[in-house]
Amino acid sequence: MKEKIRNTATTLFLERGFKSITMDDIANELGMSKKTIYNEYSNKTELVEDCVMHKFCTLSEGIDSIAAMEKNPIVELYEIKKYVMSHLNDEKTSPQFQLMKYYPKIYSEMKKMHFDKMQKCVLTNVLRGKQQGIYRDNIDSEFVARIYYTGMNNIKDQNIFPIKLFPVAKLMDSFLEYHLRGIVTPKGRTILNTIINSNQE
């Protein structure tokens, strides 16, 4: 029962936001009473926390599985982006910023976990790319990993990148290309251009 509630609530939160979705909305969607939900969760904050942490763990496991394949590092980043996008419903309501505003404690905990995960993932990716000669030797790997994290988070701010001008899928593609063009070698650029051209077909 708890898993069913969590899955439904997560979908609703991602589609319409943490603030606008009420316990009544979740109960109606599930066709059950609020009392049944409160048997599993004492309040909405507890439910939000469970949804956020469970989604984070699911995404982390998926990213680990992709990284374990040890694909070409450029291909790996596109695979990870595709995987994350498919699990976040395009983040239509910018849930990260709603979480920050209405559930700051949960947001703070999630942000730390997200940074640790993403920094380690991108750093490993950069080091592998340098070893394979597709990323430039003279880049500061630690800087690149951290600036990628910072950029990926800030482009989700719809005050800066309004969704009407920058649909999420297009924005993510543009940012990833921007990131890679700054660090690839001529060999890496050939791989990148092949991926971009195949995605446009």
Side-chain angles (χ1 to χ4, degrees), residues 71-199:
K71 293 184 176 184
N72 173 290
I74 296 174
V75 173
E76 179 181 274
L77 287 182
Y78 274 94
E79 289 290 318
I80 289 173
K81 183 213 64 148
K82 183 179 176 183
Y83 173 78
V84 172
M85 290 287 291
S86 72
H87 280 263
L88 291 180
N89 300 357
D90 287 348
E91 294 190 314
K92 297 180 183 69
T93 55
S94 192
Q96 175 178 305
F97 283 86
Q98 288 201 10
L99 197 66
M100 178 172 61
K101 184 174 181 179
Y102 300 109
Y103 299 93
K105 187 176 178 182
I106 298 172
Y107 172 78
S108 180
E109 185 180 351
M110 188 274 294
K111 185 179 179 183
K112 184 181 184 307
M113 292 166 62
H114 184 221
F115 170 76
D116 290 343
K117 182 70 186 178
M118 198 166 171
Q119 192 267 344
K120 181 181 177 183
C121 177
V122 177
L123 181 59
T124 301
N125 180 277
V126 171
L127 293 173
R128 284 180 55 236
K130 288 168 80 170
Q131 288 173 354
Q132 295 178 25
I134 60 175
Y135 295 160
R136 290 187 289 112
D137 250 347
N138 62 340
I139 58 174
D140 184 329
S141 304
E142 191 69 52
F143 171 80
V144 170
R146 290 168 186 262
I147 203 71
Y148 184 81
Y149 168 83
T150 302
M152 186 59 79
N153 275 282
N154 286 334
I155 64 171
K156 294 175 184 176
D157 186 341
Q158 290 186 18
N159 291 317
I160 301 172
F161 294 98
I163 201 162
K164 288 182 180 179
L165 291 177
F166 302 95
V168 177
K170 183 181 177 183
L171 185 61
M172 292 298 177
D173 277 339
S174 296
F175 178 75
L176 184 51
E177 181 181 348
Y178 177 82
H179 162 73
L180 287 166
R181 288 205 182 279
I183 66 173
V184 292
T185 60
K187 178 183 175 182
R189 191 178 305 116
T190 300
I191 297 168
L192 176 60
N193 287 337
T194 299
I195 293 171
I196 292 170
N197 291 335
S198 67
N199 287 344

Side-chain angles (χ1 to χ4, degrees), residues 62-73:
I63 290 169
D64 286 343
S65 296
I66 294 170
M69 296 176 189
E70 295 192 345
K71 293 184 176 184
N72 173 290

